[in-house]
Every structure is written in structure tokens, then in C-alpha cells.
Amino acid sequence: NISCKGGVMTFRFVCIATLFVVPLALGQDATLAAEYSSFKQLVSPSYELYWNFDAATQNLSIAVRVQTTGWIGFGISPNGGMPNSDVVIGWVAGGMTCFHDRKVPDRQALPNIDQEQNWFLIEGTEDNGWTTLKFWRYLDTGDSSEDIVIGEGQTRLIYSWNDNEPVDCASNPSYHSTNRGINGAVFVETDEVKNDLKDAESLLLLQDDITIPSDTTTYWCVGFKLPEKITSQKKHMIRYAPVVHPEAAAHVHHMLLYECPPVANTVIENNGTDLNGGPCSTTPLGNCRAGTILAAWAVGGQPFNFPSDVSFSFGGPDASSYWVIEMHYDNPGSVVIPV
């Protein structure tokens, strides 16, 4: 069995109503959390990303904190792959930080050091088995041959690390092997999104801690009774996003949010169904999967913003008073992992 803090979803609504999910800042380093306004865990628990964006100067400040005393790689990909990515590689050795702005060739190979360095090191530190690199760049560096312009909305990210530290700053880093991945982040929100969310309210759907069965795959259903502010007046979803606890990230494969259909809603209401739920095949909450899907998320997914002239209506006196989240947990090793 795996004792696990589950994933969740959250939502916002304005007078027209909005559904919005706010990622919780779990697993953050306290010092970096005080310095940077945004955070994302790229790998739990070993690779953390922090950033600030200054709209006035178009300056993006980044910190990566990784559980290694070797080298760290981080970069922007044009398509989610490594070729032609705009990256930095750095490490701390003997009190000195080695750091280079690099470009990946049009094949998977060691990134070349750029002729023009446009990612600028702020500092590098090592502490208790963790390495932190702080650096910054402009959204548009002006170097179109070696750098990628960072725009509004989703930015595709690649990352890597290796525990073997190069002997000096002139040496090449060793191959990362399996210590690599792809992800994404929104460094710059669009003006439409910022305006739409300005007056939005939020609703958080949070699952209590559970113990995942030892089966390699589990579909777990957890229920939520909606508050009166949603059941009394129709709302309109304009944004949703996942909230996944770092200790559960390795096991949460996807989440689906359902509005329970009338029959299932009645069964839950009349039978006193335990909303903490269980395997979808054994709890009445599983019947809600015949209802309308309100939101969906899978590994690698980011907050989803509806276009400014689009929303998804929900709630009101004639709608269901119960929602269910189906969680798909992976446990390929069928091992006990206390959290």
C-alpha cells in the first residue's frame, strides 16, 4: 500500500462565475519562496523551479534548486524535445560557480556554448546535498540564432542533472542518463487571462490523505458537496488547474472532475455515502462517472484558460449538488511508500 496525499482541483468564479484551480506551494524552500513569487516542482522531490517576471523591464528571474552536488541543466524547448533548445548548464565547485548559456544542436547532443551569453548568472550555492542556481534573462534577448523568445502563455521546458561534477569550468558535463524530463510553465500570463481573473472567486476541491491499494493501477473516486453559493446561482468556469501534492506526484496519472447525474446525486444524498470515497468500482461515487465531465488533467498538464469570450456553465438550483473527482493512481512497483 502507498499512503498518499492526493491530487486536488480548485476553482474561481466572478459574478458570471469562474472555475479556477490554484496550485498549492507545497515542498518549497522557505528562503526561495520568500524571494520568488512563482513556484513549480518539476520532479518530486528533487527538482524545484522558482521565478519572478518584471513586466516593466521584460526581465525573467529564475532559480532552480536540485538535490545534487553535480551539474544542473535547464532550458526552453521549441516543441518539447531537446534538439534546438535554448538551455543553461551550471554547477558549483570549490566556491566557484560554472555557468553557460548554450544551444542544443539539431540532434540530441551536448549543447554548444553560445557565442553570445544572454542568460546571466546571479549566484550559485551548495547546501546539504542541494545545488541552487539563480539567473536571469530578457524575454527577447535579441539573439535569434541561439536563443528562443519567451512569449505569453505556456512555455515548454526541459531539465536535467547529473551527480558527477565536472572537474573545472572548461570541462564538459557528463551525460545525464535518465535524470531528465520535459514540463511546462506560464511565465507570462496573457492580458486577457489577467483581466478575466481579476474579480474571480475560487473554489478548492481537496482530497484528504488516503492509502493507495497495492494494485499497479487504481481509479479512486472522491466526492464533494457543493456550497450554497454554487447551488443557488449558475456560475461560469473560465480557468481550472491541478493541485498535486509533491509526495503524490509520482503516482498521480490523471484526474477527471464529474458533475453527478440526478440518479447518482439522489443515491449519495439519501444513503449518506462517505465522500472520502474509495476505488471507483466499489463506491456509489463511481456512478457519477456517467455524468458531465467538467475538467480534466493528466501528467504534464498546466492551468487551462478558456478564451476570453468562452466559459463553461455549472451550478444553479437545477444542477447537481455533488461533484466527484476520479483519480488515476499508478503504483507499478506495488510497494509500501510511507508519506
Side-chain angles (χ1 to χ4, degrees):
N1 292 345
I2 297 176
S3 298
C4 206
K5 293 177 171 60
V8 300
M9 288 190 171
T10 320
F11 307 87
R12 287 190 183 171
F13 31 99
V14 220
C15 9
I16 49 167
T18 313
L19 193 56
F20 177 70
V21 185
V22 182
L24 298 177
L26 299 171
Q28 286 181 287
D29 175 78
T31 301
L32 292 174
E35 184 177 350
Y36 293 87
S37 61
S38 298
F39 165 79
K40 183 167 187 177
Q41 194 131 30
L42 299 185
V43 179
S44 175
S46 55
Y47 200 122
E48 301 169 1
L49 169 65
Y50 301 80
W51 72 91
N52 289 324
F53 171 61
D54 187 331
T57 63
Q58 296 291 286
N59 179 312
L60 179 66
S61 299
I62 291 175
V64 289
R65 179 174 179 262
V66 183
Q67 193 172 20
T68 185
T69 55
W71 63 263
I72 296 171
F74 174 84
I76 298 167
S77 167
N79 52 23
M82 184 175 174
N84 300 308
S85 292
D86 178 9
V87 304
V88 295
I89 296 178
W91 60 91
V92 179
M96 176 182 294
T97 301
C98 305
F99 182 87
H100 291 111
D101 176 7
R102 295 172 178 256
K103 175 71 177 288
V104 182
D106 58 4
R107 64 189 187 284
Q108 290 187 329
L110 177 68
N112 299 318
I113 296 176
D114 287 4
Q115 292 184 350
E116 182 179 321
Q117 295 287 293
N118 291 305
W119 296 72
F120 303 102
L121 177 69
I122 299 173
E123 69 171 349
T125 58
E126 274 187 10
D127 180 43
N128 196 28
W130 289 76
T131 297
T132 300
L133 297 177
K134 298 180 181 180
F135 46 93
W136 69 275
R137 59 160 283 176
Y138 293 110
L139 296 188
D140 186 350
T141 68
D143 182 3
S144 59
S145 64
E146 295 179 316
D147 294 337
I148 294 175
V149 176
I150 299 174
E152 294 180 336
Q154 181 81 349
T155 296
R156 297 180 179 92
L157 305 176
I158 61 173
Y159 58 87
S160 58
W161 74 96
N162 190 299
D163 295 333
N164 294 316
E165 187 175 86
V167 295
D168 54 40
C169 291
S171 299
N172 287 326
S174 52
Y175 181 55
H176 50 60
S177 187
T178 58
N179 296 329
R180 60 183 174 85
I182 60 174
N183 213 306
V186 177
F187 293 130
V188 187
E189 291 276 19
T190 65
D191 288 337
E192 287 183 352
V193 170
K194 287 182 285 189
N195 291 335
D196 284 345
L197 295 180
K198 186 170 53 179
D199 299 317
E201 298 176 72
S202 63
L203 170 68
L204 174 66
L205 305 178
L206 176 64
Q207 176 181 289
D208 291 336
D209 294 359
I210 67 166
T211 298
I212 302 174
S214 58
D215 299 334
T216 56
T217 293
T218 296
Y219 291 89
W220 188 280
C221 286
V222 58
F224 303 90
K225 184 174 176 61
L226 299 178
E228 192 271 339
K229 63 182 177 181
I230 290 179
T231 57
S232 64
Q233 181 184 8
K234 186 179 289 292
K235 308 296 183 182
H236 297 270
M237 182 194 314
I238 61 174
R239 174 180 167 104
Y240 68 84
V243 183
V244 180
H245 194 286
E247 293 175 357
H251 304 285
V252 178
H253 180 269
H254 75 252
M255 293 184 277
L256 294 173
L257 175 65
Y258 292 91
E259 179 184 50
C260 295
V263 172
N265 192 85
T266 301
V267 170
I268 294 170
E269 187 71 51
N270 294 342
N271 293 358
T273 301
D274 182 5
L275 296 182
N276 288 327
C280 295
S281 60
T282 64
T283 171
L285 298 175
N287 296 325
C288 290
R289 294 181 295 174
T292 300
I293 296 178
L294 300 174
W297 172 89
V299 173
Q302 298 298 307
F304 180 81
N305 302 302
F306 288 81
S308 60
D309 58 346
V310 176
S311 65
F312 189 100
S313 64
F314 65 93
D318 298 326
S320 172
S321 54
Y322 289 92
W323 288 354
V324 161
I325 292 181
E326 175 196 81
M327 317 278 292
H328 177 194
Y329 291 109
D330 276 338
N331 182 10
S334 298
V335 295
V336 176
I337 303 177
V339 294

